[in-house]
Amino acid sequence: MTTRTVLHGIGVSAGTSFGPAAFVTPAAGVDASEPACTDVETDGQRVREALNAVAEGLKARAEGAPETSKAILEATATLATDRGLIKGIDKELKKGSGVTQAVHDAVETYANKLRKLGGYMAERVTDLYDIRDRATARLRGLPEPGVPTLSEPSVLIAHDLAPAETATLDPEQVRGIITEAGGPTSHTAILAAQLGIPAVVKATGISAALAAGEQVALDGGVGEIIIAPTEADTAELAERSRRRASALAGSSGEGSTRDGHKVKLLANIGTADDARKAAAFDLEGSGLFRTEFLFLDRDSAPTVEEQTKTYTEVLEAFGGRRVVVRTLDAGADKPLSFADLGEEENPALGRRGLRLSMMREDLLETQLEALAAAYKATNADLWVMAPMVATIDEAKWFEAKARSYGLPKVGIMVETPAAAIRAKQVLSVVDFASIGTNDLSQYTMAADRMQGELANLLTPWQPAVLSMIRATCEGGSATGKHIGVCGEAGGDPLMALVLVGLGVSSLSMAPSKVNAVRAALRVHDLSTCQQIAAYAIDSWTADEAREAALRVADPMLRDLL
């Protein structure tokens, strides 16, 4: 008999459920006995045919998928025939690798590039691996990996779940999803939330901890997993689900605290498709449009016309709602083939973001020209900000550039301790600032965002990080300038209370998280948020900060986490 065991991951789709575990069929992997490549042209054609077949299969799934899932499947299908990926495979074939080994190695190289980009692009590694596994299966003449036929409502267990699989799941048959990999903004997370399926990702050790058919329960809000749950466990989960539904009831409209203090609730986006999907949610615009996705995996920079078209589509999607655009954040660990400044000893501290734009003014000028054209065509509520600003001279330089193109609102990202500490001075020359909590945590704690072993240092609950946020907000208060947050911290209902208490006036997040954040704000007045923030920032450790915030917050908040 399996012993009751409690595991924890990251809750990405709220809700509770339980049922027998059903494991996703794993990928076949590289064919260890395949011959080396001796005919690059012939083997390259075989691989192209396999990738084209994968793309067509994904498009076929998209045709029958719900509208909310269709764009994700179509994007993955496009990735299957990406020119950069195919060039990488040809390169491996020329080295003599067999076809499945060439696909594996080329995908891994591409995946590492995406991981370095972080955020949304890092989450696309799952899509890339799905393409790899499907193409490999076709090259080996084996069935593609995927979800098994379910004989009863079950909880799916997987190392990771590809969007092609998630998009076509039946919520009546799939009671929950648990993966060992993935992240809060992955396609698995987004689709699970859209389908209303509770989901937990980054549940380390789940595959080894239980067998197919064994009972498992999960809470997709707090990330809790219970193997061999008791009757008391399942009753508690059912009660949590009821309380959460009650807490979210009526969560709509503008963001504000109980006493009417306004807090704009916005969406993080990366593409025009993201904009159209996010605009359908009940939110107040976009607090972060990551424009670098237009520039990646290209041999040359996008033209003014290409950029204008995309920016116009994004602005039109949101109508009169605010759209905050971050100019190109690339360079160093986000290399562009057409803007290679050479290798650096420490890319995280190198020529990235605005530093690259100051060395390649042509890239920024083209982007600003396109943004100005899109603004003129739409008269939208457009705000433009520069990434990785560290000094007042950098802020002045960018402000002058942006103003010269007639852009109405010019701001900066606060991602470095330098910008946070000197926020009063830096904000004196721009209109607003947005805090990128992911990078601000990295630079404050001297911990690489991509180093999983340092995850405990990278939480925004670290009192040192909270101190940086407070310093930024004090600068905003002294200058009368708006301070927003567009890092992952903004989507945490409890952290949202802390941020508002510190002085943040807008929060940008994954669209699916807006309802919970809005509900959390509406049961706390501003003075309570300020009290919660004071307890958190005065704590000695990150864990103590979170626990202190929970103690002061309304008990119903636990039902939103």
Side-chain angles (χ1 to χ4, degrees), residues 60-371:
R61 287 190 179 221
E63 288 297 318
E67 196 63 36
T68 51
S69 307
K70 187 173 294 185
I72 291 176
L73 289 171
E74 289 173 344
T76 307
T78 300
L79 190 59
T81 54
D82 181 86
R83 286 183 301 170
L85 175 60
I86 291 170
K87 283 171 64 176
I89 293 170
D90 285 343
K91 183 178 179 180
E92 297 299 328
L93 290 172
K94 288 174 183 176
K95 294 179 183 177
S97 297
V99 287
T100 63
Q101 187 68 55
V103 170
H104 177 277
D105 292 348
V107 164
E108 197 56 44
T109 298
Y110 204 163
N112 286 333
K113 290 181 180 179
L114 295 182
R115 285 193 190 95
K116 288 180 178 180
L117 293 171
Y120 172 85
M121 293 306 286
E123 302 294 357
R124 294 217 69 189
V125 170
T126 300
D127 307 3
L128 198 57
Y129 284 165
D130 181 40
I131 292 165
R132 175 200 65 191
D133 295 341
R134 293 177 185 278
T136 298
R138 287 183 176 274
L139 289 167
R140 296 187 63 176
L142 299 171
E144 291 187 7
V147 176
T149 301
L150 302 177
S151 58
E152 60 181 321
S154 305
V155 176
L156 282 185
I157 312 295
H159 174 72
D160 209 346
L161 197 59
E165 299 298 340
T166 315
T168 53
L169 295 179
D170 179 0
E172 295 297 319
Q173 285 292 97
V174 179
R175 289 183 169 175
I177 299 169
I178 303 173
T179 69
E180 292 190 292
T185 58
S186 67
H187 282 156
T188 297
I190 294 167
L191 291 170
Q194 289 172 347
L195 293 168
I197 300 174
V200 177
V201 301
K202 288 203 179 300
T204 305
I206 185 66
S207 297
L210 79 167
E214 289 185 332
Q215 290 290 312
V216 60
L218 71 151
D219 184 331
V222 299
E224 183 178 76
I225 301 160
I226 306 174
I227 297 170
T230 64
E231 288 186 11
D233 289 328
T234 56
E236 169 60 19
L237 288 175
E239 175 59 17
R240 282 190 206 175
S241 187
R242 186 198 65 76
R243 291 198 307 264
R244 179 180 173 82
S246 176
L248 287 173
S251 175
S252 61
E254 293 182 341
S256 67
T257 57
R258 185 171 56 194
D259 53 339
H261 176 73
K262 298 293 185 185
V263 182
K264 276 195 176 293
L265 302 180
L266 310 164
N268 292 338
I269 61 172
T271 66
D273 282 339
D274 286 349
R276 285 185 281 269
K277 286 183 287 185
F281 283 77
D282 182 9
L283 44 75
E284 299 170 75
S286 172
L288 175 63
F289 173 27
R290 305 178 178 97
T291 59
E292 59 265 25
F293 300 150
L294 279 166
F295 292 77
L296 301 174
D297 303 313
R298 298 175 58 113
D299 296 325
S300 59
T303 63
V304 170
E305 292 73 23
E306 287 178 276
Q307 293 188 58
T308 300
K309 179 177 182 294
T310 296
Y311 301 149
T312 301
E313 288 176 359
V314 169
L315 295 176
E316 288 178 341
F318 285 103
R321 290 177 282 179
R322 180 186 302 175
V323 177
V324 183
V325 176
R326 181 176 71 190
T327 57
L328 180 62
D329 187 11
D333 64 335
K334 302 179 183 180
L336 299 174
S337 61
F338 50 85
D340 185 5
L341 301 180
E343 291 189 11
E344 296 177 307
E345 280 291 325
N346 192 336
L349 303 179
R351 295 166 292 183
R352 59 169 290 198
L354 185 63
R355 296 170 187 176
L356 171 65
S357 294
M358 294 179 80
M359 300 187 76
R360 284 292 307 272
E361 292 187 43
D362 57 311
L363 295 177
L364 179 64
E365 289 169 352
T366 299
Q367 187 169 32
L368 294 175
E369 181 181 347
L371 285 165

Side-chain angles (χ1 to χ4, degrees), residues 27-89:
V30 172
D31 182 357
S33 63
E34 69 183 357
C37 174
T38 56
D39 186 339
V40 174
E41 186 174 341
T42 300
D43 285 347
Q45 185 58 34
R46 274 189 67 202
V47 173
R48 283 170 175 75
E49 289 172 358
L51 290 171
N52 286 333
V54 168
E56 290 305 314
L58 292 169
K59 289 176 185 175
R61 287 190 179 221
E63 288 297 318
E67 196 63 36
T68 51
S69 307
K70 187 173 294 185
I72 291 176
L73 289 171
E74 289 173 344
T76 307
T78 300
L79 190 59
T81 54
D82 181 86
R83 286 183 301 170
L85 175 60
I86 291 170
K87 283 171 64 176
I89 293 170

Side-chain angles (χ1 to χ4, degrees), residues 350-403:
R351 295 166 292 183
R352 59 169 290 198
L354 185 63
R355 296 170 187 176
L356 171 65
S357 294
M358 294 179 80
M359 300 187 76
R360 284 292 307 272
E361 292 187 43
D362 57 311
L363 295 177
L364 179 64
E365 289 169 352
T366 299
Q367 187 169 32
L368 294 175
E369 181 181 347
L371 285 165
Y375 171 64
K376 184 177 180 180
T378 61
N379 196 32
D381 187 11
L382 173 63
W383 299 32
V384 180
M385 61 184 179
M388 292 302 295
V389 171
T391 69
I392 191 169
D393 285 340
E394 291 172 346
K396 283 181 177 178
W397 184 88
F398 178 75
E399 186 268 346
K401 278 281 185 187
R403 299 274 190 226

Side-chain angles (χ1 to χ4, degrees), residues 494-525:
L494 181 59
M495 175 56 76
L497 302 179
V498 174
L499 295 172
V500 170
L502 291 174
V504 169
S505 55
S506 71
L507 300 166
S508 194
M509 64 203 78
S512 60
K513 297 184 176 182
V514 168
N515 274 353
V517 171
R518 178 164 42 217
L521 290 172
R522 287 191 175 176
V523 294
H524 297 85
D525 55 33

